[in-house]
Amino acid sequence: MTHSGSSLPDLPNSTSTSGPMSEIRSPPPDRVLEIVLENVLHFLTCRRDRNAASLVCRSWYRAEALTRSDLFIGNCYAVSPHRATSRFRRVKSLTVKGKPRFADFDLLPLNWGANFSPWGSALADSYPWLEKLHLKRMSLTDDDLDLIARSFPSFKELVLVCCEGFGIAGIASIAANCRLLRVLDLVESVVEVADEDEEVMDWISCFPEGETHLESLMFECVDCPVNFEALEGLVARSPFLKKLRLNRFVSIPQLYRLMHRAPQLTHIGTGSFCASDDVAVGDQEPDYASAFAACKSLVCLSGFRDILPDYLPAIYPACANLTSLNLSYADVNADQLKPVILQCHKLQTLWVLDSICDEGLQAVAATCKDLRELRVFPVNTREEVEGPVSEVGLEVISQGCRKLQSILFFCQRMTNAAVIAMSKNCPDLVVFRLCIIGRYRPDPETQEPMDDGFGAIVMNCKKLTRLAVSGLLTDQAFRYIGMYGKLVRTLSVAFAGDSDQGLKYVLEGCPNLQKLEIRDSPFGDAALRSGLHHFYNMRFLWMSSCKLTRQACQEIARTLPHLALEVIDSQEDKADDHIEILYMYRSLDRPRNDAPKCVTILQ
Amino acid sequence: MMDESRRRMGGRRRSHHKFSEERELELRLGPPGEEQEQQEEQEEDCWSHQHNENKGERNSDDSDQSPLSLGYFSAQRIYNFQPKASSFLQNMSMVGKESKDATSSQPCRSEVMEFHNGAVCAEKKPLSSPSSANTAAPNNSSQKRSAAGPVVGWPPIRSFRKNNASGSTSKPPLGSHHHNQQQHHHHHLNLNNVEDKVANTTNKELVNNISGTPNKGMFIKINMDGIPIGRKVDINAYDSYDKLSSVVDHLFRDLLSAQRRNSCGAGTVQKQKQEEEEKTMILDGSGEYTLIYEDNEGDKMLVGDVPWHMFVSTVKRLRVLKKSDLAALSLGGKQGHINH
């Protein structure tokens, strides 16, 4: 069915394909167009463009399938590994995403699925030339990592985001066996580490001797001590290393040494950013600022996991060039932040804790005129009446940072006025995620629901593709979203809405909706049915603690055969038919067979 | 795996009511909780279907009502409890604007308390929401909502982030801080008898606790027989065994659900009771599984033996076990623990 991928394929009825001389003869006329097409398609990198090209006709479909080298699987259960590897024969780089996002917040049972193993074996069989693997929210074991390490001699990049199930042994195998490794990024993953009293495997020492190809090494989430001597040696023999993100077991004096070893670093995760335990009182400490001055290409700083704010001034030399600063683990107040932030004129990305208060946000707004992304995380996650950041901070940010594109803001109180102001001041907003921690909170000034604020966002921010809502919201908010949120692709809803009508507005009004996650909202069967026309266009729908019944889900499963409806419930034989969690996604293949007992897949 | 070398007598388990008594006797700055309970009974506009259900479970949350535990407040803002008899919506507007005597008795603090620390009502499982939403009048939005206590997965913040936020502005002034910190490190290194290999979690936790961080997350591992992937739970996020039990239930619901099906009553059992049973299944001994923990001295103990705050300060890891396995393993009780 498919060609081998070379420019001159073997035709079944060809008479002149023996020996090297046949390569020189021009191809048959009906193949010319395909060859041209394949060569042209090589330049097509965007997967949406490729998807479109593949729909033109069969030969374009084939050509596109042969030339796609970057494969993106948005939902690991949407297609089987076999289907993917059968269609795309020359994949060098693969991205697979597994669990839905609400798994991050413990809403999904631990052993729900998203196991990498079936993909691993399929890849090992079909793509021995594989170079890059990027996994998000997948469950993979040490054996899986070992398989990756041993199956792909050209392997260059491993990026694991929000993954789990593996431990140090797996990482060590990657380090030891992937000789051409350039990127090893372990981000926000849960890594099984030894207990405090057990021996910790020294994975850093598993990297081979001699110069490495390492360009990026991120192990912030590997929560166990590392052999610093080995790490220093590794950094010293990695001349291409640009990105280094350390875990909290690396102290600031150790960071100092590493930075002097690798002044070419552009991205640094600073580790603990405090002194190690065995520094005695009165010890002479090195001039940490000199390290930051030495790294003249530094543009991105993160880490600060156990920061001693006294040390923060050490980063001053780097501030003027910083485009990205992540202080979201650093409990610093406004006074500690200001001297730093007032120097960060080029900052585009800032992640902070709300410990900086509205006052700190004021300083950000005053200086960071180029800010594109802001995330403000809460120190205290309990529902309070007041908090350190509020509508005041949001409003000053909107006034100072007009180029803002993405915001994630946790707070205890927010007004419609501030949100409306942001919608007008920041027309470039693509991502607006506001989390008022207290559920069902109205506008504290007017006692109104937060409908108008979010309505203004969808109305005025014409580029908006991602929205997360909170606070007291009626169906009206969803009416606005349905009316104006025409580009919205991802919508997160929690504790909001009055009736089925709310969800209906969204499902009927948002043609680009792909990811919808809803929890604890009064949307029921009628609302779900209103999306039948659209569900095949979506990557997934998540509804937990809503008003759905199993019967309605069953009907939908029968109506739309390529839809997998996973009902996750901990009870059977209940008095009513209501279900706890519905996770629904389109799928070309048979329902998965690796689901735990609490998951029922309706078909 | 379990350390079989430590064998202790099983401990007697206290009832949950004892916890609430102890809580109420603790020194608090806020008004006592009992008045509030009575007030809530009288509240009409409470979306009180869930409210009334929660009443009975309110036990160990009262101490959280003191202003000290509320986290961040700038000097100008003084937390107050607003004595308004009107609807909660009005209450919300008043709170934070006036400063009043926090200890004056309040006729109608109930709604305020709902949002206060989020810890007033015992945690409601998401399972209960569909039923409450069903019974509510669809047109009146405020009635069917209950801002109950801490809810699983809310706010939507990943657990490692909660773990690492160190959570307090109560650090000493800049000049003296560095040396004091060093001294603390040394001091507690010796006390703890921790081997000097590497900086480890226990050390850091201890140091961080010294600097007075009431809201710092403290993560401990929890494993269950039969499930290879463990989890970490933030012990500081809960303030009662009920809530811990509920979270454990969520995490391991697949295996726990099987035994829940067996031990739950027939359809005549009311929803509330059912939920209570589910929640406390793992702790009250009626199910097939039970929860044990390992404390800071390596002893295995039955969860629920000691007061919550003592449990929090000594727990090092948790394990969900089949009760049949438990019989073979004698655990430390209060008696045994003191005697070493």
Side-chain angles (χ1 to χ4, degrees), chain B residues 92-205:
Chain B
M92 296 316 299
S93 73
M94 300 310 271
V95 169
K97 288 204 176 134
E98 301 167 31
S99 59
K100 289 210 161 198
D101 181 1
T103 57
S104 63
S105 74
Q106 311 291 335
C108 184
R109 291 180 42 244
S110 56
E111 298 87 358
V112 172
M113 297 319 296
E114 284 301 307
F115 295 100
H116 187 148
N117 261 348
V120 172
C121 299
E123 182 183 357
K124 284 306 269 182
K125 285 176 56 167
L127 184 60
S128 64
S129 303
S131 65
S132 66
N134 266 338
T135 56
N139 290 330
N140 190 334
S141 55
S142 66
Q143 278 189 2
K144 64 173 163 9
R145 294 199 185 95
S146 157
V151 167
V152 172
W154 186 261
I157 295 174
R158 297 203 70 222
S159 51
F160 66 85
R161 202 167 272 291
K162 287 181 189 172
N163 188 24
N164 283 294
S166 45
S168 171
T169 51
S170 64
K171 291 186 178 166
L174 279 174
S176 59
H177 183 60
H178 176 60
H179 292 294
N180 288 344
Q181 186 86 355
Q182 301 303 315
Q183 282 165 356
H184 271 142
H185 278 211
H186 278 290
H187 189 53
H188 287 280
L189 251 176
N190 294 332
L191 277 187
N192 242 4
N193 292 325
V194 171
E195 290 182 47
D196 213 6
K197 282 187 284 192
V198 286
N200 60 38
T201 314
T202 311
N203 235 7
K204 280 196 157 35
E205 276 173 9

Side-chain angles (χ1 to χ4, degrees), chain A residues 103-111 139 162 164-165 188-190 192-199 223 225 248-249 272 275-282 285 305-311 328-329 331 333 336 351 353-355 358 377-388 390 410 435-442 444-445 447 470 472-474 494-498 519-520 522 545-547 568-572 574-576 578-581 596-598, chain B residues 64 69-73 77 79 88-90 92-93 95-97 112 114-119 125-127 129-131 133-134 138 141 144-169 171 174-175 177-179 181-183 185-186 189 197-204 208 215 221 227-232 236-239 250-255 257-258 260-261 264 267 271 274 278 316-317:
Chain A
D104 292 352
F105 317 124
D106 294 330
L107 290 179
L108 209 55
L110 274 182
N111 52 350
S139 193
C162 301
E164 63 171 352
E188 296 185 10
S189 296
V190 180
E192 301 297 321
V193 298
D195 294 327
E196 286 150 22
D197 49 350
E198 289 171 22
E199 198 63 39
D223 205 29
R248 63 187 179 93
F249 289 94
S272 69
S276 61
D277 289 338
D278 50 1
V279 172
V281 173
E285 281 192 291
R305 306 291 282 212
D306 287 320
I307 187 175
L308 224 53
D310 305 21
Y311 288 131
S328 65
Y329 293 98
D331 180 11
N333 58 31
Q336 290 159 341
W351 291 21
L353 284 177
D354 63 5
S355 54
D358 287 331
F377 294 96
V379 169
N380 176 14
T381 55
R382 294 191 155 144
E383 300 187 17
E384 311 282 3
V385 178
E386 300 282 342
S390 67
F410 285 87
C435 181
I436 304 168
I437 296 175
R439 292 160 291 149
Y440 310 116
R441 286 283 171 84
E445 305 271 330
Q447 301 318 316
S470 60
L472 182 67
L473 293 169
T474 71
F495 306 99
D498 298 324
R519 64 167 293 181
D520 293 276
S545 304
C546 297
K547 288 166 61 181
I568 302 165
D569 227 329
S570 46
Q571 276 189 306
E572 287 177 7
K574 291 189 297 190
D576 56 34
H578 285 92
I579 62 173
E580 242 178 270
I581 300 175
K597 282 196 296 269
C598 60
Chain B
D64 289 334
S69 67
L70 291 178
Y72 279 93
F73 291 92
R77 297 180 193 165
Y79 191 86
F88 87 97
L89 289 176
Q90 262 190 346
M92 296 316 299
S93 73
V95 169
K97 288 204 176 134
V112 172
E114 284 301 307
F115 295 100
H116 187 148
N117 261 348
K125 285 176 56 167
L127 184 60
S129 303
S131 65
N134 266 338
S141 55
K144 64 173 163 9
R145 294 199 185 95
S146 157
V151 167
V152 172
W154 186 261
I157 295 174
R158 297 203 70 222
S159 51
F160 66 85
R161 202 167 272 291
K162 287 181 189 172
N163 188 24
N164 283 294
S166 45
S168 171
T169 51
K171 291 186 178 166
L174 279 174
H177 183 60
H178 176 60
H179 292 294
Q181 186 86 355
Q182 301 303 315
Q183 282 165 356
H185 278 211
H186 278 290
L189 251 176
K197 282 187 284 192
V198 286
N200 60 38
T201 314
T202 311
N203 235 7
K204 280 196 157 35
N208 286 326
N215 291 318
K221 279 191 186 178
I227 299 190
I229 300 176
R231 256 295 189 262
K232 285 192 172 181
N236 274 348
Y238 316 115
D239 49 21
H250 269 273
L251 289 175
F252 298 108
R253 70 169 62 190
D254 180 37
L255 276 137
S257 66
R260 199 177 300 120
R261 265 180 248 129
C264 261
K271 198 94 186 165
Q274 215 174 25
E278 287 159 18
K316 281 289 158 267
R317 48 193 307 190

Side-chain angles (χ1 to χ4, degrees), chain B residues 284-301:
Chain B
D284 71 2
S286 63
E288 194 190 331
Y289 289 86
T290 191
L291 193 62
I292 66 168
Y293 73 101
E294 188 176 322
D295 68 7
N296 52 3
E297 294 177 2
D299 301 331
K300 311 291 194 296
M301 318 272 276

